[in-house]
Amino acid sequence: MTDDRTPPVTEAQIVRRVRADRVSRRAFFALVGTASLTAGAVTAGQSFPALGGTNLVAPRVAGLGPQRLPVNKTAVAAGVVEAATDRAWRLRVGGPAGTTSFSRAELLGLPQSVQELPIACVEGWTTYATWVGVPLAALLALVGGSFDRHVRLTSLEPGGAYRVTTMGPEFATDPRTLVALGVNGEPLDLDHGYPARIIAPARPGVLQTKWLARVEVLS
Ligand SMILES: Nc1nc2c(c(=O)[nH]1)N[C@H]1C(S)=C(S)[C@@H](COP(=O)(O)O)O[C@H]1N2
Ligand SMILES: [Mo]
């Protein structure tokens, strides 16, 4: 018997925990449907009991954000709370063979990969975490991506220096590069890029795009 509160240790446990998000998600939206998710409530570090331990908006611990990982820019500061919690969110993936899109549940239904990778921020911290998500290359393959193309990543963020970035083929085709859906055994916290973010090996933190909206293979 596995206790729900026991930290997941195997890949299967991590994936199972993150996939269980499909259920907790429904509880979350039922909740925000009645009480509006205001910036004030978010910065007060209010947590949502209906999430059953998966903190979308966790209180700040000195030097460390939710899910034992620092936060460089919060969802409130980035102005993405509404877009990132929109039920209608879909990740758009475009390539030579056309454009397709995925809901978070559809992404969770694809084969998941678990990777131990760091975020290395120029502000002077590097923190490893265990990420789970869909290999970017698997999504690109569905739209006819090839091994020699750059990929443009666009965030839900309305502005800011990191809204649009370009990734070289060496990263886009690396099997460790993920469209991450969870971290450290939990669904991504809103501040870590929920509903989906990029995590790639050996890339500066600034390029680990949070709140992903679109992925496009460039010609
Ligand atoms: N859309 C978006 N993605 C972003 C950023 C941002 O400001 N906006 N900051 C980047 C920087 S500088 C870092 S170090 C990492 C931090 O990720 P974390 O907050 O989940 O630790 O996210 C990166 N991704
Ligand atoms: Mo950073």
Side-chain angles (χ1 to χ4, degrees), residues 63-81:
L64 205 61
Q67 302 173 325
R68 307 187 300 285
L69 187 62
V71 169
N72 122 279
K73 192 196 272 179
T74 65
V76 169
V80 298
V81 172

Side-chain angles (χ1 to χ4, degrees), residues 93-98 136-151 173 216-218:
V93 183
L136 178 62
L139 291 176
L140 298 180
L142 297 175
V143 293
S146 56
F147 285 88
D148 53 357
R149 298 290 167 82
H150 282 68
V151 172
T173 58
E216 297 156 277
V217 179
L218 299 176

Side-chain angles (χ1 to χ4, degrees), residues 6-209:
T6 310
V9 284
T10 66
E11 295 204 352
Q13 281 177 313
I14 291 167
V15 170
R16 207 179 307 128
R17 182 77 63 92
V18 171
R19 280 191 168 149
D21 175 43
R22 265 183 276 195
V23 179
S24 60
R25 232 44 342 258
R26 233 172 289 142
F28 172 73
F29 288 122
L31 192 76
V32 293
T34 52
S36 69
L37 185 60
T38 65
V42 172
T43 46
Q46 199 164 300
S47 66
F48 297 95
L51 282 173
T54 65
N55 256 340
L56 252 181
V57 187
R60 291 285 92 74
V61 179
L64 205 61
Q67 302 173 325
R68 307 187 300 285
L69 187 62
V71 169
N72 122 279
K73 192 196 272 179
T74 65
V76 169
V80 298
V81 172
E82 210 169 305
T85 57
D86 187 342
R87 256 182 233 256
W89 176 88
R90 295 181 76 83
L91 178 67
R92 279 182 289 158
V93 183
T99 296
T100 181
S101 73
F102 301 85
S103 68
R104 194 177 140 97
E106 286 165 352
L107 290 171
L108 286 164
L110 296 173
Q112 304 289 301
S113 169
V114 177
Q115 300 293 335
E116 184 81 16
L117 290 172
I119 291 190
C121 180
V122 290
E123 284 168 22
W125 54 267
T126 296
T127 304
Y128 275 82
T130 304
W131 304 89
V132 59
V134 182
L136 178 62
L139 291 176
L140 298 180
L142 297 175
V143 293
S146 56
F147 285 88
D148 53 357
R149 298 290 167 82
H150 282 68
V151 172
R152 184 192 291 138
L153 307 166
T154 308
S155 172
L156 293 170
E157 218 182 329
Y162 314 133
R163 194 179 86 83
V164 182
T165 60
T166 303
M167 179 185 271
E170 70 278 26
F171 295 107
T173 58
D174 188 313
R176 295 168 298 171
T177 297
L178 302 182
V179 169
L181 306 168
V183 64
N184 291 338
E186 292 178 0
L188 278 181
D189 188 282
L190 196 48
D191 285 344
H192 288 312
Y194 179 93
R197 78 169 305 158
I198 286 292
I199 194 83
R203 294 261 287 174
V206 291
L207 300 178
Q208 310 279 27
T209 308

